[in-house]
Amino acid sequence: MPEQGPEAADAQREHWQRTYAGHPGMYGEAPSAAAVHAAAVFCVAGASDVLELGTGHGRDALYFAGCGFTVRATDYSPAGLEQLTTQAKELGLDPAVSATVHDVRRPLPLPDRSVDAVFAHMLMCMALSTPEIHRLTDEVRRVLRPGGTFVYTVRHTGDAHYGAGTAHGDDIFEHGGFAVHFFDRALVDALAQGWDLREVHAFEEGDLPRRLWRITQTLPGGPAPAREDGERCGDGPPPRRDT
C-alpha cells in the first residue's frame, strides 16, 4: 500500500502540539485502563525499565514511574512532554522519568536490547502508513531485550469512525482534525510474526465509545531481569503534593 505523504503526518504533529498546548492535561491525571493492565503484565514479566511511545502529557508514564519502573517517555509534541516533566517533579518522580521529543517515523533513539518493556496507547494507530507501522514494530523488537514485552492499543475497523470523515487511503480516516489508522485483525497478526502473541483483547474507551484492541506480544528468549522491588508493583504514583 502506498505510504502517506510526509505533509499529512507533519500536519498531525502540528495539530497535536496545538492541542496539548491549548488543553493542558487533556486526558486527565488518572492512568488509562490499558496502562494499568500493562503495568501488571510488566511486573509479572520482571521488567524494570519501560519505554512509552506517544506518551502525550504523561498520565501513563507517571503511573509506570509510581509503580517503580524506570520510564523513558517519547512523543513528538514538546508541549505534552513539558507537562510530563513538570508533573514528574511535582510528584517527586523525576529521577525515574526521562522525556525525549521523537517522531516514530524515525529509528528509536535507544541502543539495541536496552529496555524490558514497551507500551504504546493508541500511538500505533496514528497517521502512519502500513509500512511505517511495520518499521516501528521492527524498531520495538530491536530495542527490547530477549523475552521483552510489547503492549499496545489501536482503534480497529469495528470502530464507529472507521470509514467516516476524510479518507487518506490505507485505512486512515481523519475525523475532527485527528487522523487514525484503523487496524484489521490481519494487520495485528502480521505485526506479531516472529513474536509470541499472548493476547488480542477487544475493549471500549471514551464516550463514542472508541473501539480498540489491546495487544500483548513478547519476544522469544530468556525472561527479563527479576525486579528487586516487586512489592511496589501496581502501587501507582504517590498522591500529588500541595504546591
Side-chain angles (χ1 to χ4, degrees):
M1 295 182 180
E3 296 192 38
Q4 304 304 303
E7 298 83 3
D10 289 342
Q12 283 295 294
R13 176 170 55 189
E14 294 170 4
H15 182 72
W16 278 104
Q17 175 72 355
R18 292 193 302 270
T19 299
Y20 283 127
H23 304 279
M26 61 182 290
Y27 292 114
E29 296 180 2
S32 66
V36 174
H37 173 83
V41 171
F42 297 159
C43 182
V44 170
S48 293
D49 41 31
V50 175
L51 167 65
E52 184 182 2
L53 305 175
T55 196
H57 61 76
R59 59 174 181 153
D60 291 339
L62 293 172
Y63 179 76
F64 290 136
C67 290
F69 299 103
T70 299
V71 184
R72 309 181 195 200
T74 69
D75 199 279
Y76 64 8
S77 168
L81 293 179
E82 287 172 6
Q83 293 170 38
L84 164 61
T85 55
T86 297
Q87 285 193 299
K89 289 179 181 178
E90 292 176 357
L91 294 169
L93 294 173
D94 49 310
V97 178
S98 60
T100 302
V101 177
H102 178 70
D103 186 332
V104 294
R105 292 174 294 171
R106 298 181 175 86
L108 294 174
L110 291 173
D112 296 357
R113 301 186 174 193
S114 57
V115 294
D116 297 322
V118 178
F119 176 73
H121 183 36
M122 292 203 290
L123 179 278
M124 300 280 283
C125 60
M126 292 292 124
L128 301 170
S129 69
T130 297
E132 287 171 337
I133 292 168
H134 276 278
R135 287 197 292 269
L136 175 55
T137 305
D138 289 342
E139 277 293 289
V140 170
R141 178 198 295 271
R142 179 183 67 78
V143 302
L144 275 174
R145 298 185 179 104
T149 305
F150 182 26
V151 176
Y152 70 93
T153 66
V154 290
R155 294 172 75 174
H156 61 67
T157 51
D159 187 274
H161 280 164
Y162 178 65
T166 303
H168 292 284
D170 201 9
D171 278 339
I172 298 174
F173 295 89
E174 184 176 343
H175 189 277
F178 296 96
V180 175
H181 189 142
F182 294 88
F183 278 46
D184 59 19
R185 180 57 194 261
L187 179 53
V188 171
D189 290 341
L191 295 176
Q193 290 183 8
W195 299 70
D196 294 326
L197 182 59
R198 300 303 178 101
E199 179 191 50
V200 181
H201 172 70
F203 70 104
E204 295 182 346
E205 181 181 84
D207 296 331
L208 185 59
R210 293 185 294 267
R211 294 182 177 177
L212 301 98
W213 272 319
R214 184 186 69 218
I215 296 97
T216 302
Q217 55 193 55
T218 60
L219 283 181
R227 293 176 60 90
E228 297 179 357
D229 59 346
E231 67 277 4
R232 293 189 60 196
C233 283
D235 286 350
R240 178 178 296 277
R241 297 175 177 175
D242 293 333
T243 56

